[in-house]
Amino acid sequence: MIASVRGLYVLAAIAGLLAIVVALDLRRAGPPSDRALVSGFSADAVTALAWDGTRVVRDPASATGWSIAGTRRTPAEARTVEAVLSALRGARWQRREAAAVAGTPSRTLAIETAAGTTKLAFGDALPGGDGDAQQWLVAGDHALLVDAWVARALAPDPLALRVRTPFAAVLDATELRIEPGIMLRGSPRRLVDPTGHELFVAGALVDDLERALLATTIVAVAAPPAGEPIARITFDGGLVATVGPPCTGGKQRWVAGPLGEGCVDETAWQAVARAIAALARPAAEIIERRPVPLDRIAKLTLPDSGVLDLAKRPRIGSHDADPARALELAAILAAPGQPVPRPATKPTGQLAVTGDRIELVLELYGRGIVARRGEPLALQIGDGAYALLVRPQAAYRDPVLWLEEPTTIQRVTLDGKPYARGPVIGEWLRDAQPVADPAALDALVELLASPRAIGELPEPVTLPHAIELAIVPPVGPASKRALRIGKLPQGCAASVDASHVLVAPELCAAIERVR
């Protein structure tokens, strides 16, 4: 018992000693070290960044939010500036030594804020297994060791601070002008001549020009060479760039504009020049050969004034349109024709097309010839394709008047006489009594479930038989269908929703068998 008590005293003494050691150690440790490159850094507080002669300043009036100081408000490349700020915000140093350890600094980054300027100098790199894995930065009296990617992000190439793609907005431009000689407008592109007349241009030629402009990038910053400009490029009336003489050496071309100035590769500019020259050829060589060069057609006004709506489900007037025939017409309008002289005679009709933000009128001349209104040339599309363009609106109406499942038709009222399905499959009742020929009613119901129009009647008609169907689906509300039907000299005719059409003669025959 005495030994146990003595042991407890010993343990208590050891615990107390350990507590004193821990407390003293915590007092010596102090607060954790701040390993940020710039203590308390805030990207929003930065007003400028400078690298040995190149300085970018925050500029709300600039297209990118930053400008290169010492220029005529040349925008700086926002992605490069953001990469520098992100590195300053997120990078941490791994080791700290005296400044002399970093060697002789090769470059300096100055970070300017309203509170003052902080400088980081770039010292020696430490080779690693995969190249320069680490590098010294000097901040005040200390050398800070960081990963090499941090140093690379903080010291971008001066060219990377420039907006190097002066023609990046070409795809969004509504009007593209290259002086002297070329003006393109709209989408799809139309070439505009000096008198204001427009010509839809072959899409491949436009693609060549736009690709060449997008591929033209500034590859060097240099002093402007002596000589006169050779081209002036504007988008939507605003100057994008003036193209000047060759830069020193002749392998580059001078370009200057609101986004900056410098030299582009001469090969890239020659690709632009070839695309411009291709658009200067005669109209017959550059005209868009598709009668309607639209990716999406929303509406067509047919030669007989019928409106074919293709925005959603195809509709012709107030009725559903035949999807197959609507697609057939769209395919004909997108098939290339052969450029021919515009006929001297007046057009015999027209087909108006509405697309996304554009409307055009296709004038019809007969003999397989069509022309876009206002253009100097016509297109020969062939007699067969032309016949499809001039089809009347009635040809586009969906031939299926309605579509129901036969078994959901629970009641047929023929000339006021109701016939109802019985409790047994195949049984039909009239006044609660089975009918003598249920097969005749089944045949009639099969035809009435999906009646199809096989022709149009030009004028309203009076028909002898009235039919009403009561439809009760397994799920959903009940509904009704109604039509009048009867024989005419032209065939079996039906009136549905104020439309008068010819239907299959079998339908009239089935009605006679039931009666």
Side-chain angles (χ1 to χ4, degrees):
M1 182 71 177
I2 294 174
S4 299
V5 172
R6 187 181 296 120
L8 288 174
Y9 284 137
V10 171
L11 289 174
I14 292 172
L17 181 61
L18 289 173
I20 293 172
V21 171
V22 169
L24 292 173
D25 187 66
L26 287 174
R27 291 181 64 185
R28 283 197 302 269
S33 177
D34 180 7
R35 291 178 175 264
L37 297 179
V38 179
S39 181
F41 177 77
S42 170
D44 293 337
V46 175
T47 58
L49 298 167
W51 295 264
D52 302 336
T54 301
R55 183 168 177 263
V56 299
V57 297
R58 193 181 291 276
D59 182 2
S62 169
T64 62
W66 296 85
S67 292
I68 298 176
T71 66
R72 291 168 295 185
R73 190 162 259 170
T74 299
E77 178 55 71
R79 290 174 296 184
T80 303
V81 176
E82 181 56 37
V84 174
L85 297 177
S86 295
L88 289 170
R89 184 170 45 236
R92 296 292 182 267
W93 54 264
Q94 301 170 11
R95 203 170 103 209
R96 185 168 64 181
E97 300 288 349
V101 173
T104 303
S106 60
R107 194 177 181 189
T108 301
L109 165 62
I111 305 147
E112 302 177 24
T113 67
T117 300
T118 301
K119 292 184 178 182
L120 293 174
F122 297 83
D124 294 341
L126 301 183
D130 56 350
D132 294 336
Q134 293 177 309
Q135 185 169 344
W136 289 106
L137 298 179
V138 179
D141 297 331
H142 295 96
L144 308 176
L145 190 64
V146 298
D147 287 334
W149 70 264
V150 175
R152 287 193 294 269
L154 295 178
D157 186 276
L159 189 60
L161 291 166
R162 300 272 179 159
V163 177
R164 299 179 58 199
T165 53
F167 307 115
V170 62
L171 299 181
D172 298 323
T174 301
E175 182 181 282
L176 165 61
R177 188 189 294 265
I178 303 176
E179 299 174 348
I182 297 295
M183 178 173 168
L184 295 171
R185 180 182 294 161
S187 178
R189 301 289 191 195
R190 283 97 71 194
L191 186 68
V192 185
D193 68 16
T195 66
H197 291 99
E198 297 183 354
L199 177 77
F200 278 89
V201 181
L205 298 178
V206 175
D207 290 344
D208 287 345
L209 175 60
E210 292 177 344
R211 277 196 298 265
L213 288 170
L214 289 172
T216 302
T217 60
I218 294 176
V219 297
V221 176
E228 296 297 322
I230 63 170
R232 186 174 186 271
I233 300 175
T234 62
F235 294 166
D236 296 328
L239 176 66
V240 176
T242 298
V243 183
C247 295
T248 303
K251 294 184 178 181
Q252 297 171 347
R253 174 75 55 172
W254 178 256
V255 171
L259 293 179
E261 56 189 31
C263 300
V264 301
D265 189 86
E266 178 67 13
T267 302
W269 173 251
Q270 289 305 318
V272 176
R274 287 193 297 273
I276 295 172
L279 288 169
R281 294 180 305 193
E285 298 181 28
I286 66 173
I287 188 173
E288 172 58 68
R289 299 190 176 198
R290 294 172 295 167
V292 178
L294 304 181
D295 294 331
R296 179 178 175 273
I297 296 175
K299 184 175 68 175
L300 291 158
T301 302
L302 304 174
D304 64 355
S305 300
V307 176
L308 180 59
D309 190 343
L310 302 178
K312 294 180 180 178
R313 181 178 177 178
R315 300 275 294 176
I316 183 71
S318 59
H319 303 283
D320 287 337
D322 184 346
R325 290 201 166 187
L327 288 174
E328 185 179 42
L329 177 59
I332 290 298
L333 293 173
Q338 182 66 30
V340 295
R342 178 185 279 270
T345 58
K346 290 184 177 180
T348 59
Q350 68 178 40
L351 189 149
V353 185
T354 302
D356 292 333
R357 297 174 295 175
I358 186 172
E359 294 185 3
L360 63 87
V361 175
L362 203 62
E363 296 177 331
L364 311 175
Y365 285 92
R367 305 184 308 281
I369 296 177
V370 301
R372 291 183 289 264
R373 178 171 292 173
E375 292 194 346
L377 297 176
L379 297 170
Q380 180 82 51
I381 64 171
D383 292 338
Y386 187 90
L388 297 180
L389 294 188
V390 298
R391 282 190 302 205
Q393 57 181 306
Y396 291 97
R397 180 167 175 175
D398 192 337
V400 179
L401 302 181
W402 61 66
L403 183 62
E404 303 287 354
E405 167 58 42
T407 58
T408 64
I409 299 176
Q410 297 296 312
R411 180 183 295 271
V412 179
T413 301
L414 176 57
D415 295 336
K417 300 175 183 177
Y419 298 87
R421 286 191 183 273
V424 179
I425 295 176
E427 182 181 47
W428 286 90
L429 305 178
R430 167 83 188 284
D431 297 331
Q433 298 297 318
V435 299
D437 190 1
L441 268 164
D442 276 336
L444 177 60
V445 166
E446 284 285 341
L447 294 170
L448 290 173
S450 57
R452 296 175 61 89
I454 61 174
E456 294 284 331
L457 292 172
E459 297 179 356
V461 292
T462 301
L463 299 170
H465 303 301
I467 299 178
E468 184 177 278
L469 307 178
I471 300 158
V472 184
V475 179
S479 60
K480 293 183 178 181
R481 299 283 191 183
L483 77 162
R484 295 195 68 89
I485 194 167
K487 286 185 178 181
L488 294 178
Q490 302 95 316
C492 185
S495 295
V496 181
D497 297 332
S499 297
H500 310 283
V501 296
L502 294 173
V503 295
E506 292 82 3
L507 191 48
C508 284
I511 291 172
E512 294 301 323
R513 285 196 295 272
V514 170
R515 295 183 68 252

